[in-house]
Amino acid sequence: MSFLQDFRFALRSLYARSGTAAFAVLILATGMAAAIAISCVIDAVLLRALPYPRADELVQLREVASDGHSMALAQANYDDLVATLDSFSSSAFHNSFPGTIRSGDNTIRANIDTSGGDFFGTLGVSPQLGRAFGKDEREKVVVIGDAFWRGLLAARSDVIGSRIEIEGETFTVIGVMPRGFVFPAGVGVWRPYLDPPYTSRSAHNWDAVARLRAPSDLGQTRLAANTLAARLKLRFGDDVDAVAFDVTPLGNAIAGPARNALLLLAAGTAFLLLIAIINATNLLLALNGSRTRELAVRAALGASGARLARQILLESLLIAFSATALALGAAALAIRFAVQAAGDALPRADEIHLGGGIVATSLLAAIAIAVIAAASVLLNARRRDPVGELRESSRGLSAGRSHLRTRSVLLVGQTALTTVLLVGAALLARSFLALLAVDPGFNADGAVSVQVSQPWTRDAAVAAATVRRYEEIMSDFARLPGVDAVGGASALPLAVSSADGAFWDGSVTDIQHAPKPIGYAEFRVASSAYFKAAGIPLLHGRVFDDRDRADGTHVALISAAAARASWGDRDPIGQRIQMGNMDGDLRTLTIVGVVGDVHERRLDRAPLGSVYVDVAQRPAGAADFNIVVRASVPTNALVDELREVLKRAATGIPYTVRPLAAVRADALAARRLSLILLGAFAAIAFVLAVGGLYGLMAFTVGQREHEFAVRQALGSTRRRIAQLVLGNGLAIGCSGIVIGLALALAGARAAGSVLYGVPAGDPVTLGGVSLLLLGTLLLACLLPARRACAVAPREALS
């Protein structure tokens, strides 16, 4: 019965102070919402086991180059690895690529995975319909994903045994995977590898996955794999690029690209949650500090300490649970936004949701927060004597120093954490601006890209016919008003999936047993007008022209970086190279021009270098073709006109139209998301810190009106009183900023991996954040200082 009385009293008490209570709920909900949302992401991406049986046994296999970077496996090296090591119970190699799929009159573009070995058996997943192919499969069969079955094939009940075309070849559907199975990410169709083994040890074409006999074998497996790599290097010399093998748990490998960014966001979220808890605790201290007379009266009338403690705890629980309810709703919306904004940059995005475990943890966290806040109030109240409180309140004396000291210490901690968040957000912002300033090597302004796709083929006549059709589409584009240039290439700069490979001196004809290559570069099939359309400058020599016939001397353009790496200061014009490993055409290429460098994959890495071949001479590599249209008309109007042309000229050809600027925007998507989230956290923390200091100063001035009146009566000036208030506020602010800068510098090494163009301990950033925060905190103290100066001695002492 007494509990119900206390509960009703707590509700009435909070209602009587609804403004302060509502503010505390909003502050706490803000911090909890961010923490819940990021916790859901981290749980799905970094902590939760993969949705496969005994997922802790699965590992990813890759090669390691002499400079330490990880790379895909050569098939011959994979074969030796799985044959030599007995710690694998099963394994498979696989490679994904976008391809054209046709069923009846419907044609789509989708990611297709080709695998050798026991792919499905290694993962331990069986189809929901039909069967999967095994390592001994030798027929043209295909397994499809649930989404693909329900989409292109309309969930046909007779799907098993039906036929679809993949890249112009007919395959029989033998299985449908269960809903939710997507491995690798984005793949919906799987087919077996049917070609003869490729014996080159430098053709890094394959990803690989294996299952350990026991998770405890990981360390021993790594040691044995590296021992094998050393033996292969000793035996085959320069024919082998690898100096080691990388054996990584599959879950870690999938999460790897997002790990550092997520850990940074997790740290920011933890700081924001701490700031919210501190601010809510400060508000509760203020709430109960204004009730000292009430609590003292209740204690004097015989209320036990336990009864008062329960009262305060119930009020804290009501605030915490209200904040949690708001936070869960806000977190659900934030998760949806983060998944959509991140796109492909966030692995396992389809597994991110607000589950029962997170909800239960949030409720437990709410209880813990309420207990912490109530304990802070009770510890502060225990130091005060009820009789003394009644005596002081009857005289209108100031609040106790211990009460204000507690709130000041909390605000110092809050300011320190805010400083860390602001420094992190400022560093990310400067890093992002540095990346925006990087010249990508192409001009995206006023240009639109049109990706068209046809099935890849080994038939030279069919490939030539495909290119002629692309040329007809480009001619139709060129006739549009305002169009200045139209050209195309097999891949655009900053492409997520690109084609890089080795090239040799032109005298080499047997590339499987070739000597050490003279260089590495991205391989591009391009038309002559591509460079003008994409804004890539010609530095030396010429571009492709009518002299470059299919039956004539095959020519190439090379980027400046590739030219420097292979020939130094020598002129590369006239040099002959062999790059037939990229498209199977072993005819040598004569270099006729040097073009500017482009960033092929990432803006934060130096260009690898590119070799461009003429699409008219090497049509086999142009199944996927990216047409770039540069025009003087507005981009939106150009997109609409291009779509109208494609409706007439690209019947049966899957296509995608988008501004060329979107290519660069996609390359920065992951960093942009991290900046937005951490920036939002920092902005919220900044507002909370400034508001918290203003609240403390206003509360302090209100409690010290009697003291200020006495000081003025004894001769103190208003200027002196203003300096006293401002000095107290600045002491709190400066202490928090100094501690925050020390924390930021201590974590500088961890943040360095996600920064570009700015050191983690950048003095300009640290100084700018300090001045911004200090200046704003000073402004937050001005209004309370003016209020303190306005206290009339006669009114305050009467």
Side-chain angles (χ1 to χ4, degrees):
M1 186 66 180
S2 61
F3 176 81
L4 292 177
Q5 290 177 346
D6 288 343
F7 183 76
R8 287 194 294 267
F9 186 84
L11 287 175
R12 289 197 302 268
S13 176
L14 291 178
Y15 181 76
R17 300 163 179 82
S18 56
T20 305
F23 190 46
V25 168
L26 287 175
I27 287 174
L28 195 53
T30 300
M32 292 189 70
I36 292 169
I38 296 299
S39 295
C40 289
V41 175
I42 290 176
D43 174 62
V45 179
L46 300 183
L47 302 180
R48 192 184 308 164
L50 294 172
Y52 310 124
R54 305 188 311 279
D56 57 341
E57 297 174 357
L58 294 173
V59 293
Q60 175 186 270
L61 309 177
R62 289 178 68 84
E63 296 181 16
V64 179
S66 57
D67 63 359
H69 82 271
S70 174
M71 55 189 176
L73 285 160
Q75 187 177 351
N77 294 338
Y78 163 83
D79 291 338
D80 284 341
L81 181 63
V82 299
T84 303
L85 273 63
D86 59 2
S87 53
F88 299 139
S89 60
S90 62
S91 64
F93 60 91
H94 64 99
N95 182 29
S96 303
F97 64 95
T100 302
I101 303 175
R102 180 176 290 112
S103 176
D105 295 331
N106 298 322
T107 303
I108 65 168
R109 190 74 175 161
N111 288 328
I112 303 160
D113 194 67
T114 301
S115 65
D118 189 10
F119 181 78
F120 296 104
T122 299
L123 294 174
V125 181
S126 301
Q128 61 175 314
L129 296 175
R131 69 176 180 88
F133 55 80
K135 60 182 179 180
D136 298 323
E137 188 70 59
R138 293 295 178 267
E139 301 297 326
K140 286 188 176 181
V141 296
V142 65
V143 174
I144 62 176
D146 181 83
F148 183 87
W149 172 49
R150 297 179 186 278
L152 183 67
L153 302 180
R156 289 171 45 187
S157 58
D158 62 344
V159 64
I160 305 301
S162 64
R163 297 177 183 275
I164 60 176
E165 282 189 18
I166 300 178
E167 294 292 278
E169 297 184 75
T170 301
F171 287 76
T172 301
V173 177
I174 62 169
V176 178
M177 297 306 293
R179 178 176 295 183
F181 176 79
V182 182
F183 182 83
V187 170
V189 178
W190 297 265
R191 69 180 189 181
Y193 178 67
L194 302 176
D195 293 334
Y198 197 60
T199 59
S200 171
R201 293 185 178 272
S202 60
H204 305 286
N205 298 324
W206 302 101
D207 294 317
V209 60
R211 183 175 289 276
L212 297 172
R213 298 188 185 278
S216 58
D217 293 341
L218 180 60
Q220 182 180 353
T221 301
R222 284 171 169 165
L223 180 62
N226 289 332
T227 301
L228 173 63
R231 291 208 308 266
L232 292 177
K233 187 67 176 177
L234 184 63
R235 178 180 176 184
F236 296 104
D238 291 340
D239 290 342
V240 177
D241 298 326
V243 296
F245 287 107
D246 182 23
V247 183
T248 304
L250 185 59
N252 293 350
I254 292 174
R259 178 179 296 275
N260 288 337
L262 286 179
L263 292 178
L264 179 64
L265 290 175
T269 304
F271 285 168
L272 182 60
L273 181 59
L274 282 174
I275 290 168
I277 293 172
I278 290 171
N279 229 319
T281 301
N282 252 336
L283 283 170
L284 286 173
L285 284 171
L287 191 68
N288 287 280
S290 63
R291 298 167 59 197
T292 53
R293 179 176 174 81
E294 172 203 328
L295 295 176
V297 168
R298 294 182 66 191
L301 292 176
S304 66
R307 185 72 180 272
L308 294 177
R310 187 166 64 188
Q311 180 71 56
I312 293 172
L313 179 59
L314 280 174
E315 293 178 10
S316 299
L317 285 171
L318 286 171
I319 289 175
F321 281 134
S322 299
T324 303
L326 284 177
L328 289 171
L333 295 175
I335 290 170
R336 184 179 303 176
F337 162 76
V339 170
Q340 291 177 349
D344 296 335
L346 192 60
R348 304 178 68 181
D350 56 321
E351 300 178 41
I352 301 172
H353 62 274
L354 191 59
I358 294 292
V359 173
T361 302
S362 301
L363 293 175
L364 291 175
I367 295 173
I369 291 170
V371 170
I372 292 171
S376 299
V377 173
L378 290 170
L379 286 174
N380 191 69
R382 178 176 292 183
R383 301 189 187 104
R384 302 199 297 258
D385 173 35
V387 176
E389 291 291 344
L390 288 171
R391 185 181 300 118
E392 289 181 355
S393 61
S394 66
R395 296 175 182 175
L397 297 178
S398 302
R401 290 183 178 274
S402 61
H403 180 75
L404 296 177
R405 188 182 302 115
T406 301
R407 295 196 64 198
S408 299
V409 170
L410 289 175
L411 275 173
V412 168
Q414 175 179 295
T415 306
L417 296 176
T418 301
T419 303
V420 175
L421 278 180
L422 285 174
V423 168
L427 288 172
L428 280 184
R430 292 199 63 193
S431 179
F432 191 76
L433 291 174
L435 282 172
L436 287 178
V438 172
D439 181 6
F442 64 96
N443 181 11
D445 296 335
V448 173
S449 72
V450 180
Q451 185 186 44
V452 289
S453 303
Q454 283 287 77
W456 181 83
T457 177
R458 290 185 174 90
D459 190 317
V462 174
T466 296
V467 169
R468 284 196 296 273
R469 190 167 184 191
Y470 291 162
E471 289 173 341
E472 291 172 0
I473 294 173
M474 289 191 287
S475 296
D476 290 341
F477 287 163
R479 286 192 287 268
L480 292 173
V483 171
D484 299 323
V486 181
S490 54
L492 294 174
L494 298 174
V496 175
S497 177
S498 199
D500 66 303
F503 59 90
W504 293 266
D505 181 84
S507 61
V508 173
T509 56
D510 184 1
I511 59 177
Q512 290 206 42
H513 302 90
K516 184 176 181 180
I518 61 174
Y520 292 86
E522 294 285 340
F523 181 78
R524 300 280 190 267
V525 181
S527 68
S528 58
Y530 167 70
F531 305 96
K532 180 180 179 181
I536 300 173
L538 175 68
L539 304 179
H540 185 36
R542 67 174 178 88
V543 296
F544 309 130
D545 58 28
D546 293 339
R547 289 172 287 179
D548 305 320
R549 301 186 305 273
D551 58 352
T553 300
H554 281 213
V555 297
L557 302 176
I558 191 168
S559 70
R564 287 192 303 270
S566 298
W567 293 284
D569 295 333
R570 289 184 293 158
D571 186 358
I573 302 297
Q575 297 287 343
R576 296 169 62 250
I577 62 173
Q578 168 62 258
M579 209 171 185
N581 61 316
M582 298 306 300
D583 64 353
D585 193 329
L586 297 179
R587 282 173 286 188
T588 58
L589 297 163
T590 300
I591 297 174
V592 297
V594 179
V595 296
D597 293 322
V598 297
H599 287 261
E600 297 87 357
R601 302 200 182 193
R602 293 172 54 170
L603 286 169
D604 57 355
R605 290 184 180 175
L608 170 67
S610 304
V611 170
Y612 303 88
V613 297
D614 189 351
V615 68
Q617 296 183 329
R618 297 284 184 95
D624 292 325
F625 206 60
N626 297 270
I627 301 172
V628 179
V629 183
R630 181 168 298 281
S632 56
V633 299
T635 300
N636 291 337
L638 178 60
V639 168
D640 292 338
E641 292 181 354
L642 295 177
R643 290 187 187 278
E644 290 299 321
V645 172
L646 290 166
K647 288 179 183 178
R648 302 189 308 269
T651 305
I653 297 179
Y655 61 81
T656 303
V657 183
R658 61 176 183 164
L660 189 59
V663 174
R664 180 166 185 165
D666 289 349
L668 295 172
R671 288 181 178 270
R672 184 182 295 107
L673 179 64
S674 297
L675 175 59
I676 290 173
L677 292 178
L678 192 60
F681 295 167
I684 294 169
F686 181 69
V687 171
L688 293 181
V690 174
L693 185 58
Y694 169 77
L696 176 64
M697 291 296 101
F699 177 80
T700 302
V701 169
Q703 294 294 303
R704 298 175 67 184
E705 284 185 351
H706 183 83
E707 174 192 337
F708 294 144
V710 171
R711 286 177 177 271
Q712 289 192 59
L714 295 177
S716 180
T717 64
R718 292 188 174 186
R719 180 177 179 182
R720 177 62 179 165
I721 290 174
Q723 289 176 344
L724 178 64
V725 175
L726 291 176
N728 289 339
L730 290 179
I732 293 172
C734 290
S735 300
I737 291 171
V738 170
I739 295 172
L741 291 177
L743 291 174
L745 289 173
R749 181 173 297 180
S753 60
V754 297
L755 299 178
Y756 173 82
V758 56
D762 178 46
V764 174
T765 301
L766 297 179
V769 167
S770 300
L771 290 175
L772 171 66
L773 193 53
L774 189 60
T776 311
L777 292 176
L778 178 61
L779 290 175
C781 296
L782 283 179
L783 189 59
R786 290 186 61 187
R787 180 183 169 189
C789 296
V791 174
R794 180 176 301 175
E795 295 178 6
L797 293 173
S798 60

